[in-house]
Amino acid sequence: MNAVVAQKDTQQAGQQQGERGLLRFITAGSVDDGKSTLIGRLLFDSKGIFADQLDAISRAKHKRTVGDTIDLSLLTDGLEAEREQGITIDIAYRYFATPKRKFIIADAPGHEQYTRNMVTGASTADAVIILIDVSKVKLNDDGSVELLTQTKRHSTIAHLLRIEHVVVAVNKMDLVNYDRTVYDRIVAEYRKFAEQLGLTDIHPIPLSALVGDNVVEASDKMPWYQGPTLIELLESLSVYDESHEQAFRFPVQLVARHGGHLADDFRGYMGRIEAGKVQKGDKLLVQPSGLSATVKDIVTLDGSLESAHVGQSVTILLEEYLDISRGDMLVAADAPATLLKTVNADICWLSEEPLDMRRKYWMKHTTKQVPARVANIDTLLDINTQERRTTDTLKLNDIATVSINVAQPLAADAYADIRTTGAFILIDEVTHQTVAAGMIRL
């Protein structure tokens, strides 16, 4: 489960901010808020379902609807256990397109014990849809509103992962007779919580995924809402990867050689450009060694290139013969990454086994894996109040700021600057299970 280390698809170089390319988004929220049904409705109403898929779910034995009504949640709840229990367990990805845009959706589970799967889907998302079930929100007589803890947890994770756009889908409006007052109170409370977090790009929409109100078609039952439908909003969101503008970062995945005598020697460094661009003749540094290098050639399956940019997988040849191996990073000579022996980071603990600060873990950062030990838990975040307090251990789904000592220097950036070189996971050295996902602070 390479949650935060997952590599993010990028747009073509030269894209200007505001252009609309492929949009990756995730649905999040608490249990039974209607996430799977919403995705099913999006696919159904946008004609993104094949006839055989529609026929299969209409005959499904675990449908949760009455009569001939199709249970749209079954389009994403594909595991037998999910259909039997009526819950989402694993992340499900679906692709669909409209005339204006292409989308990849990640349907995340709402149950607290499966939060780790939500982190996986959110790590590559450009937008998050936070669903709020109006029937579960507590509306107090004094005018206050109590949001569910899992709604707050998923919003907090979205903020930590620097997801740019947050769509607040106030779902099941049909259960409150499309009452505007209820909607306004919920949105006001969420905005107050979002302000505490630091979320700024908030887009609230009242809808009913079950009957399709304001999902693809505008609802005539909520004339008081004059905003876009959900699909119109998703089509309009800007997607821009700032790593186009960052300094060059190239984690080495493989050193490529072929047989032959020295006169025909070939030594190339294979990998994916995670930030910036490179061209022949550029001066680079090899980190963590600090050796200087010059780009001789850039090779792909299509032949030699004069230059390459973020998102491309290439083989880089250097003028010099240097000791470079998997886990090293080629970086811009005038803007290298920061070398760290102690990593300060926000982490989400994903294991049912609590953190044991006496144990060693493996830290996987880009293509490098090094022994690591959590040296200190600086603060633990209270999901409900957003206050930070001290603790001596971490348990499942805890979010904390920690200090981690690593056995070898890491060439890293702040997660806020470059996602891939600012992210890592911790792996249990005995069970090889992923126990935490982290975002580096500098």
Side-chain angles (χ1 to χ4, degrees), residues 6-309:
Q7 297 172 328
K8 182 181 178 182
D9 284 351
T10 56
Q11 310 306 314
Q12 293 298 315
Q15 248 188 337
Q16 298 301 311
Q17 190 163 6
E19 286 193 357
R20 296 177 297 183
L22 171 71
L23 180 75
R24 290 175 173 266
F25 68 92
I26 183 171
T27 57
S30 194
V31 181
D32 289 333
D33 279 350
K35 296 179 292 297
S36 298
T37 301
L38 177 64
I39 293 177
R41 175 59 65 183
L42 271 173
L43 295 172
F44 183 79
D45 286 359
S46 63
K47 307 298 188 290
I49 306 174
F50 292 111
D52 59 336
Q53 292 176 304
L54 196 59
D55 181 60
I57 64 171
S58 66
R59 293 183 286 103
K61 64 180 180 180
H62 296 303
K63 61 181 295 189
R64 287 162 276 168
T65 52
V66 179
D68 295 330
T69 305
I70 298 173
D71 186 355
L72 296 174
S73 69
L74 297 180
L75 284 168
T76 55
D77 290 341
L79 299 177
E80 184 69 13
E82 292 178 318
R83 296 190 174 192
E84 285 178 352
Q85 299 176 55
I87 63 173
T88 301
I89 296 173
D90 199 6
I91 281 281
Y93 294 95
R94 290 294 181 271
Y95 168 88
F96 79 103
T98 68
K100 295 182 178 179
R101 193 170 213 168
K102 296 177 180 178
F103 302 91
I104 295 178
I105 320 169
D107 181 22
H111 285 67
E112 185 175 343
Q113 72 186 97
Y114 301 125
T115 298
R116 70 192 83 177
N117 295 344
M118 183 269 174
V119 176
T120 303
S123 66
T124 57
D126 304 302
V128 58
I129 300 177
I130 301 289
L131 275 90
I132 299 177
D133 182 347
V134 293
S135 66
K136 293 181 181 176
V137 174
K138 188 175 181 181
L139 304 174
N140 298 320
D141 294 336
D142 60 1
S144 63
V145 177
E146 295 181 23
L147 299 174
L148 297 180
T149 300
Q150 195 69 338
T151 300
K152 294 181 178 180
R153 178 177 285 108
H154 283 183
S155 299
T156 302
I157 292 172
H159 171 64
L160 290 174
L161 293 175
R162 298 296 192 274
I163 297 178
E164 183 178 0
H165 307 291
V166 179
V167 179
V168 182
V170 182
N171 193 25
K172 306 185 183 180
M173 287 296 295
D174 52 309
L175 298 183
V176 293
N177 296 317
Y178 304 98
D179 189 334
R180 180 176 184 174
T181 303
V182 174
Y183 168 77
D184 287 343
R185 289 175 65 183
I186 291 173
V187 170
E189 182 62 27
Y190 187 88
R191 285 191 182 279
K192 186 171 21 172
F193 177 72
E195 187 177 349
Q196 285 182 289
L197 278 178
L199 294 171
T200 56
D201 192 32
I202 309 296
H203 304 270
I205 295 182
L207 53 82
S208 171
L210 184 64
V211 297
D213 291 314
N214 284 342
V215 180
V216 173
E217 301 292 336
S219 172
D220 58 2
K221 297 164 186 166
M222 290 177 277
W224 45 266
Y225 175 73
Q226 297 297 313
T229 63
L230 178 60
I231 194 65
E232 289 171 344
L233 176 60
L234 294 174
E235 287 175 338
S236 69
L237 294 178
S238 63
V239 177
Y240 183 72
D241 192 343
E242 292 181 354
S243 56
H244 281 98
E245 309 301 328
Q246 297 288 344
F248 179 66
R249 298 289 184 266
F250 184 81
V252 176
Q253 295 185 15
L254 182 68
V255 180
R257 301 290 304 274
H258 67 61
H261 52 79
L262 190 60
D264 191 30
D265 192 27
F266 178 91
R267 185 192 300 264
Y269 304 100
M270 305 176 72
R272 183 178 185 271
I273 301 175
E274 298 298 349
K277 57 186 178 181
V278 66
Q279 59 187 24
K280 291 180 181 179
D282 277 359
K283 300 296 183 182
L284 304 179
L285 279 183
V286 182
Q287 289 188 300
S289 67
L291 299 172
S292 298
T294 307
V295 178
K296 178 181 179 182
D297 200 1
I298 305 166
V299 180
T300 69
L301 288 174
D302 298 322
S304 178
L305 302 176
E306 285 297 319
S307 64
H309 55 77

